[in-house]
Amino acid sequence: MDSKRDSGIAYLVLGIYSVLISWYFNHSIILAILCYLCWPVYLVFEILTGHLAHGMWKSIPLSYFK
């Protein structure tokens, strides 16, 4: 039962991470909601297009806390 809970938490955290990335690039609530619903596809797309290269994967979430 603990592994299901851990995977649920990871799913939620990665979904929120994809919303943060989407908002950083698009500033659209509709796209943020869509990215949360299909975050695995969106994160793979962002990785393949290079938007998360050169340390952007960690500077984007940090930009919300400055």
Side-chain angles (χ1 to χ4, degrees):
M1 183 165 170
D2 287 330
S3 65
K4 279 190 167 188
R5 186 175 68 188
D6 293 340
S7 65
I9 292 171
Y11 193 86
L12 176 69
V13 169
L14 287 173
I16 292 171
Y17 182 70
S18 68
V19 169
L20 293 175
I21 292 170
S22 173
W23 185 260
Y24 183 83
F25 289 118
N26 302 316
H27 294 288
S28 170
I29 293 174
I30 295 171
L31 286 176
I33 292 170
L34 288 175
C35 289
Y36 181 74
L37 294 176
C38 59
W39 67 262
V41 175
Y42 181 71
L43 285 181
V44 169
F45 172 75
E46 291 294 326
I47 290 169
L48 291 176
T49 57
H51 286 144
L52 299 179
H54 306 293
M56 289 299 289
W57 64 273
K58 60 182 174 183
S59 65
I60 291 172
L62 290 176
S63 71
Y64 291 103
F65 299 107
K66 290 184 179 178

